Amino acid sequence: MKTTALNLFASFLAVTCLTSTSANALDAPTGEVILTVTGADLTHPNAGATAQFDLAMLEKLAGRTGTMETPWTKGKIAFSGPLLKSVLEAAGAEGKSLRVKAMNDYAAGVPMDDATKIDTMLATRMDGETMSIRDKGPLFLIYPFDADSSLYNEKYFSRSVWQIKEIEVTK
């Protein structure tokens, strides 16, 4: 009787560990990689020590849509994409700041609070269409200017990187 109970308990622990590990695992991208998240302590890497995402992976994450004016576009534009915090959670990224890097090697420092306390998004679409490199894509860091007009200033404009290829998480 004790052996049966012990075996059942061991089986339960094994299943629980396997389930929790796979629930946290980040699938490998099947399409073109458009974003790489790096950092010393990613808990859900899927390519060596990095977390790589294709468009389909990003668009499955919790996100938002916001229609707003920006200094870089004409008129009100609908931007949509995953929340920055959703991307970082999927990668298992924790730190104090981010270095958001563009394809042309421009980079901006972004405090982690901008991801965790503001609904900042990595826009993948502009007016419903995927964003080409020519149109600031494939990813554009967009602050919720539509929801909080106090964000519409140079401080946040300078952090609004487009043509993003990498996010480095630092401690």
Side-chain angles (χ1 to χ4, degrees), residues 10-32:
S11 297
F12 170 77
L13 282 179
V15 168
T16 302
C17 289
L18 287 173
T19 303
S20 65
T21 300
S22 62
N24 291 332
L26 183 63
D27 292 335
T30 57
E32 178 185 354

Side-chain angles (χ1 to χ4, degrees), residues 96-160:
K96 293 190 180 191
S97 64
L98 308 170
R99 186 155 175 81
V100 181
K101 301 176 185 179
M103 291 178 179
N104 66 358
D105 294 326
Y106 172 81
V110 175
M112 185 62 85
D113 282 353
D114 285 12
T116 59
K117 296 182 179 176
I118 302 172
D119 282 341
T120 309
M121 79 171 100
L122 287 179
T124 57
R125 296 183 179 271
M126 191 177 340
D127 286 335
E129 300 294 324
T130 56
M131 297 169 53
S132 69
I133 292 171
R134 176 172 281 192
D135 290 325
K136 302 186 178 6
L139 300 171
F140 188 174
L141 183 64
I142 297 286
Y143 284 80
F145 301 127
D146 59 325
D148 185 351
S149 61
S150 72
L151 299 172
Y152 201 87
N153 62 60
E154 278 301 319
K155 175 180 171 180
Y156 296 101
F157 297 163
S158 68
R159 298 175 185 173
S160 298

Side-chain angles (χ1 to χ4, degrees), residues 19 32 37 58 61 66 73 76 84 86 107 150 157 161-162:
T19 303
E32 178 185 354
V37 179
L58 290 170
L61 299 173
T73 55
K76 289 196 173 201
L84 179 56
S86 299
S150 72
F157 297 163
V161 180
W162 56 79

Side-chain angles (χ1 to χ4, degrees), residues 1-13:
M1 187 73 151
K2 286 183 182 180
T3 305
T4 303
L6 192 55
N7 285 340
L8 284 172
F9 181 72
S11 297
F12 170 77
L13 282 179

